[in-house]
Amino acid sequence: MLQILTKIKNRASGFFTKFLAPKTSRNLLILYSIIAIPFFIYHESHLPWHYIFVLCLISLIVGLFITYGSLYVIQRYWADTFHPLIELGVVVLFIFSLWLAEVLVFEAGTVFLFLLVAVAFLIRVLRLEEYARLLVAACLIASNALIAFKALQGAEVLSAYLLFKNKYQIEEKDLNDWVVTENNQYWNEELQFGFTLPQGFYFFKPEDLSMENKTGAGQIAGLLAFSDQDAERYPFVRIFYFPDYLGFQENQAIAEFSEFLKIQVSKGDIEDIQEIQQKELEPSIVTSKFWTFFDLLRPRYAKTGFILVETSNHDKLLFHITENLEKGEIHEQGIREFLSSMRFGNRLQSN
């Protein structure tokens, strides 16, 4: 076993020594670009070409910058092994990349970090020079991959937001003025719309939402979620506003929501989308459409779709609903309570 480890160590050490030469570093950056660009294009092929170009450019710049920096740090560490500032910088960068990629959210991620720190401490105490070099190189490569991936994700979120933002040239209004009564009834005078917040739900005004939460064809008016920390934990309802002069119709709602689902699939968030038929019970609902899907982030089957309603002043509100599947029920209890509590054109009354 010791001979195998020594053999792996020697080969890896020789590999890095060879590829730290200036000419080879340049070739590695070129090779990185050749491999990365087709992947970026394939991953974002559902978007218009100019969005693909911007996404590729942002991701490539971040990836090349981090790769070049990693090669430089590895080269310095090879020349001055056990340099404390280099080691501290690598540790901080590695922990930052794990945090950025949300690896540390999971218990397994925290355990992995603890074990890695323990191994690094042991190598440092025993002054195992070759293993220290390889560990630093491995941490830098992993950090590179995680940060470049998050840069691509961030660029995706921005491109999706810009793709949908003000698509219909809506004259945006201030929709943050929600009045709340003591018994959790919400009313928005601008929308002429109100509802009762179901038990266990939390409400987010537009100003409290992230760019990703705001992404949609209309203007975001608010979000109901089952968590006060994670606005994407379902069941949730995102409320989008469409003024009367747009004449927003069912076919447009289906087209926009289908495009939104394609983006979710391309990001690797969901898969196995299947359209389902269901009849809504509330008389104020103009139309609705729902799909089941498999959530890759929270491994389970769930349901998503939209409900389109018309207010008393003929504006339209689109409710993007994502919820758990309830056997024998059209919606989860909290969603049913929200839909049955909707009010239009008159203020909610305190009981």
Side-chain angles (χ1 to χ4, degrees), residues 168-170 241-248 252:
Y168 293 94
Q169 301 302 311
I170 297 173
Y241 161 73
F242 297 87
D244 174 41
Y245 59 79
L246 289 180
F248 192 71
Q252 293 171 294

Side-chain angles (χ1 to χ4, degrees), residues 38 91 100 140 154 199 310 321 332 343:
V91 168
L100 191 66
L140 285 171
Q199 185 176 4
E310 184 173 329
I321 299 174
E332 286 192 64
R343 300 288 187 274

Side-chain angles (χ1 to χ4, degrees), residues 160-185:
Y161 177 74
L162 295 176
L163 186 64
F164 283 102
K165 179 177 170 55
N166 220 2
K167 190 172 185 178
Y168 293 94
Q169 301 302 311
I170 297 173
E171 184 180 345
E172 294 195 354
K173 300 180 179 180
D174 182 6
L175 302 180
N176 288 291
D177 190 16
W178 288 89
V179 177
V180 188
T181 66
E182 292 181 357
N183 53 350
N184 276 338
Q185 295 193 35

Side-chain angles (χ1 to χ4, degrees), residues 3-67:
Q3 289 179 341
I4 295 175
L5 289 174
T6 303
K7 189 175 181 180
I8 293 173
K9 178 197 71 173
N10 292 336
R11 288 192 176 183
S13 180
F15 173 85
F16 279 107
T17 300
K18 182 189 300 182
F19 282 84
L20 287 176
K23 182 179 179 181
T24 309
S25 298
R26 181 196 63 195
N27 292 340
L28 278 176
L29 295 177
I30 294 173
L31 180 63
Y32 175 89
S33 302
I34 293 173
I35 295 174
I37 290 175
F39 169 76
F40 294 153
I41 293 175
Y42 171 77
H43 196 265
E44 309 302 334
S45 58
H46 62 283
L47 295 172
W49 68 266
H50 50 285
Y51 282 96
I52 296 176
F53 175 78
V54 173
L55 281 173
C56 287
L57 186 62
I58 293 174
S59 302
L60 187 62
I61 289 173
V62 172
L64 288 174
F65 177 79
I66 298 174
T67 301

Side-chain angles (χ1 to χ4, degrees), residues 65-225:
F65 177 79
I66 298 174
T67 301
Y68 181 80
S70 299
L71 290 173
Y72 175 77
V73 172
I74 292 172
Q75 190 175 35
R76 290 293 303 272
Y77 196 70
W78 242 247
D80 188 8
T81 309
F82 299 119
H83 192 293
L85 291 181
I86 294 178
E87 291 173 339
L88 180 62
V90 171
V91 168
V92 171
L93 179 65
F94 185 62
I95 294 176
F96 170 74
S97 67
L98 292 177
W99 170 80
L100 191 66
E102 299 180 351
V103 174
L104 299 180
V105 171
F106 305 100
E107 185 178 351
T110 305
V111 172
F112 164 74
L113 179 61
F114 175 79
L115 292 176
L116 189 66
V117 169
V119 171
F121 179 76
L122 183 63
I123 291 174
R124 190 72 165 75
V125 170
L126 297 177
R127 307 289 288 184
L128 301 176
E129 186 175 277
E130 296 297 329
Y131 290 106
R133 291 174 175 177
L134 296 179
L135 185 60
V136 165
C139 289
L140 285 171
I141 292 171
S143 300
N144 183 358
L146 291 173
I147 294 174
F149 177 71
K150 290 303 293 185
L152 178 61
Q153 280 193 327
E156 278 183 329
V157 171
L158 177 60
S159 64
Y161 177 74
L162 295 176
L163 186 64
F164 283 102
K165 179 177 170 55
N166 220 2
K167 190 172 185 178
Y168 293 94
Q169 301 302 311
I170 297 173
E171 184 180 345
E172 294 195 354
K173 300 180 179 180
D174 182 6
L175 302 180
N176 288 291
D177 190 16
W178 288 89
V179 177
V180 188
T181 66
E182 292 181 357
N183 53 350
N184 276 338
Q185 295 193 35
Y186 284 68
W187 176 259
N188 191 298
E189 190 69 25
E190 190 70 52
L191 297 176
Q192 287 291 290
F193 168 72
F195 61 89
T196 301
L197 187 69
Q199 185 176 4
F201 279 73
Y202 300 87
F203 184 73
F204 298 82
K205 296 180 181 180
E207 62 188 7
D208 300 324
L209 295 172
S210 67
M211 185 183 299
E212 187 169 10
N213 296 140
K214 293 180 181 179
T215 299
Q219 182 184 352
I220 189 72
L223 185 151
L224 294 80

Side-chain angles (χ1 to χ4, degrees), residues 242-303:
F242 297 87
D244 174 41
Y245 59 79
L246 289 180
F248 192 71
Q249 300 298 325
E250 176 184 3
N251 61 332
Q252 293 171 294
I254 294 173
E256 297 299 340
F257 202 84
S258 298
E259 184 67 25
F260 176 80
L261 289 179
K262 287 180 183 178
I263 291 176
Q264 298 301 105
V265 171
S266 70
K267 288 169 58 181
D269 292 347
I270 64 175
E271 65 178 11
D272 193 20
I273 298 175
Q274 302 290 333
E275 183 180 335
I276 58 175
Q277 301 294 328
Q278 64 182 50
K279 183 176 178 59
E280 303 295 335
L281 302 178
E282 302 303 322
S284 57
I285 295 175
V286 176
T287 188
S288 67
K289 203 167 192 64
F290 281 85
W291 295 260
T292 60
F293 68 93
F294 185 76
D295 191 338
L296 293 168
L297 302 179
R298 311 167 183 83
R300 71 184 73 167
Y301 277 96
K303 182 172 71 174

